[in-house]
Amino acid sequence: MTGTPADPSAPILARLHHLHPKLIDLSLGRMERLLKKLGNPERQLPPVLHVAGTNGKGSTVAYLEAMLRAAGARVDAYISPHLVHFNERIRLDGANIQAPCLNDLLRECEDVNDGAPITFFEITTAAAFLAYARSAADFLLLEVGLGGRLDATNVVARPAVSVITPVSIDHTQYLGDSLSGIAGEKAGILKPGVPAVIGEQVAAAAAVIDAHAHELKTPLLRLGREWHVRAEGERPRYEGTSGNHDFPLPALAGRHQVGNAGIAIACLEALGAPLFSPAAVAKGLVGARWPGRLHQILPPPLPAGWELWLDGGHNAAAGRALAQARPWQDRPLYLIVGMLNTKPPDDFLRPLAPLSVGLTGIAVPDESASFTPEAICQAAAGLGLQSRPAENVQAALERIIIDEAPGRILVCGSLYLVGAVLAGLELADGAPGLCA
């Protein structure tokens, strides 16, 4: 998804897509070649917090940005994918990069690259590094695009902190189909002597991460060992090297967000005083925003009595977290689901099926790799869930509202689908009416 028609960067982004025959081709060589020609901006970055993992990367970055800014730091951030406009991926001191600046950077990289093969993610990451090297930030939050070991962001030789959020099965066509293999790819961001904050892991993933860290002499700060976080009543309690602290509930909805928030707190603890300030942590927890993830549209463009929710989760772990995030069954829940064919839909839908009274399958707009609506419905039927196909989100909404009793509608299965909905509502990037 290169951007909506209104995206001022769309023409150059479209050109950059044609520099390599594959969308994804994991390697560091092309990235290192271009960065050298650009003067190695990756060596001129502010202190980097490098974030890998399968689920929770974006939420962790959102908490870190809010907490560090609350502590008085200037913070840049790199995230992917975007929801509506590409410039959402490059944040400079709390704001999306402006289109004229982004276009200049993209053209600079395009000119220096001189037509050599390079993937879209690699050349746009190089442009982001130029932006961050020329920024005056105190920290850069750098989210891994895919995997870790061969991801374009892994050219940073020595971050301030490495982070691995929970690892699960995902992107098997690129990372392998075993949890231990995928964990090994994520652990590829670990660096000798650089502290690494590790979120909750299943045993197979934890063993791989521990072994790789031992080999590199990487200090580990692991949930359940060096630090702990849990919800006690209405206030999460964090226990770490700085002592025990009670904090307000995170602004982002869902029980799994307590763990993501704990990862961010542990990162600040690793950075040390004065950044680790309980007051700044508390302010960041309640102020964090992450559109497209368990995201309620307020007011909904629906008749009275209806709610509209969006979530971009798309794998089995995300399905479980989404099912546990809210007491969905207190009102009828209707699912509108579109997914890319890189993920088994039944794995994602299995935890949600018992909570829903029906599902409408749709295709992800403008994505050739989308499952058909019929394929989504077939997966739902195999889980005992009543389903029917629709042409698009609008048609699905209209049919549900006409045929069903008022309740909650959850559009889910793909961040690209969520982005398309937000683009249609013209509510991207925290605009008025958006409630994260």
Side-chain angles (χ1 to χ4, degrees):
M1 192 167 77
T2 58
T4 67
D7 193 331
S9 301
I12 187 170
L13 292 169
R15 290 201 306 272
L16 298 179
H17 263 291
H18 296 292
L19 293 173
H20 195 283
K22 296 181 180 179
L23 178 63
I24 298 173
D25 183 16
L26 297 178
S27 168
L28 295 181
R30 294 179 299 271
M31 187 72 178
E32 291 167 344
R33 170 190 53 76
L34 178 56
L35 290 173
K36 184 177 181 179
K37 288 186 174 183
L38 291 168
N40 292 114
E42 81 284 4
R43 301 177 186 175
Q44 304 161 43
L45 302 175
V48 170
L49 284 77
H50 197 193
V51 183
T54 305
N55 296 97
K57 296 192 301 293
S59 298
T60 298
V61 168
Y63 288 124
L64 281 169
E65 182 178 24
M67 291 176 189
L68 286 167
R69 286 173 58 81
R74 289 175 57 90
V75 185
D76 293 345
Y78 187 55
I79 62 171
S80 62
H82 58 281
L83 290 175
V84 180
H85 296 299
F86 181 88
N87 69 337
E88 298 166 25
R89 299 187 183 208
I90 303 175
R91 292 180 60 79
L92 303 174
D93 194 24
N96 297 341
I97 190 171
Q98 294 297 305
C101 180
L102 172 61
N103 289 348
D104 287 345
L105 293 168
L106 293 172
R107 290 191 191 98
E108 182 175 351
C109 290
E110 184 181 32
D111 291 344
V112 170
N113 185 64
D114 195 25
I118 192 165
T119 69
F120 178 80
F121 185 74
E122 289 165 349
I123 195 168
T124 53
T125 299
F129 283 162
L130 283 179
Y132 301 134
R134 298 167 184 175
S135 173
D138 299 305
F139 293 96
L140 168 59
L141 309 176
L142 186 61
E143 182 184 334
V144 167
L146 178 62
R149 180 175 64 93
L150 295 176
D151 185 76
T153 63
N154 204 29
V155 294
V156 175
R158 190 169 180 82
V161 179
S162 303
V163 182
I164 302 179
T165 67
V167 174
S168 62
I169 297 289
D170 201 5
H171 296 295
T172 55
Q173 69 274 43
Y174 302 110
L175 305 179
D177 56 6
S178 72
L179 189 58
S180 58
I182 293 172
E185 293 296 317
K186 310 289 186 183
I189 72 162
L190 301 181
K191 303 294 188 295
V194 175
V197 174
I198 312 298
E200 183 177 13
Q201 307 293 341
V202 300
V208 171
I209 294 169
D210 286 358
H212 195 59
H214 178 76
E215 181 181 345
L216 295 175
K217 295 183 172 56
T218 299
L220 290 182
L221 302 168
R222 295 159 290 189
L223 173 60
R225 298 184 68 170
E226 289 76 23
W227 60 275
H228 304 262
V229 66
R230 58 182 179 273
E232 293 191 349
E234 291 299 313
R235 299 181 66 83
R237 164 157 286 207
Y238 178 86
E239 301 172 3
T241 58
S242 62
N244 301 340
H245 305 272
D246 292 323
F247 292 112
L249 282 171
L252 305 183
R255 280 183 275 175
H256 61 290
Q257 290 295 349
V258 172
N260 295 335
I263 295 172
I265 298 169
C267 287
L268 264 65
E269 200 172 46
L271 292 171
L275 292 168
F276 182 78
S277 154
V281 169
K283 186 176 180 180
L285 283 173
V286 300
R289 294 292 180 267
W290 196 234
R293 287 77 170 177
L294 204 61
H295 172 158
Q296 185 178 8
I297 300 296
L298 292 176
L302 304 173
W306 289 91
E307 294 179 8
L308 179 60
W309 291 76
L310 311 176
D311 192 86
H314 50 257
N315 57 27
R320 290 192 296 271
L322 184 56
Q324 297 168 2
R326 291 185 55 80
W328 296 110
Q329 289 173 299
D330 65 341
R331 298 188 65 192
L333 175 65
Y334 309 96
L335 302 177
I336 299 177
V337 180
M339 295 184 66
L340 301 186
N341 59 21
T342 55
K343 311 288 187 305
D346 49 340
D347 286 352
F348 171 72
L349 292 173
R350 188 168 288 109
L352 294 166
L355 309 178
S356 174
V357 296
L359 175 147
T360 305
I362 61 171
V364 180
D366 302 319
E367 291 292 336
S368 60
S370 173
F371 277 114
T372 64
E374 291 75 17
I376 296 291
C377 291
Q378 183 177 1
L383 297 169
L385 186 58
Q386 291 187 348
S387 62
R388 56 189 176 183
E391 183 179 354
N392 52 42
V393 171
Q394 185 63 36
L397 288 171
E398 291 173 356
R399 187 183 298 173
I400 292 170
I401 290 166
I402 291 171
D403 294 348
E404 307 291 350
R408 293 189 179 97
I409 299 175
L410 172 61
V411 182
C412 58
S414 167
L415 273 172
Y416 297 110
L417 174 60
V418 168
V421 174
L422 289 174
L425 293 171
E426 297 183 349
L427 291 175
D429 195 32
L434 193 75
C435 180

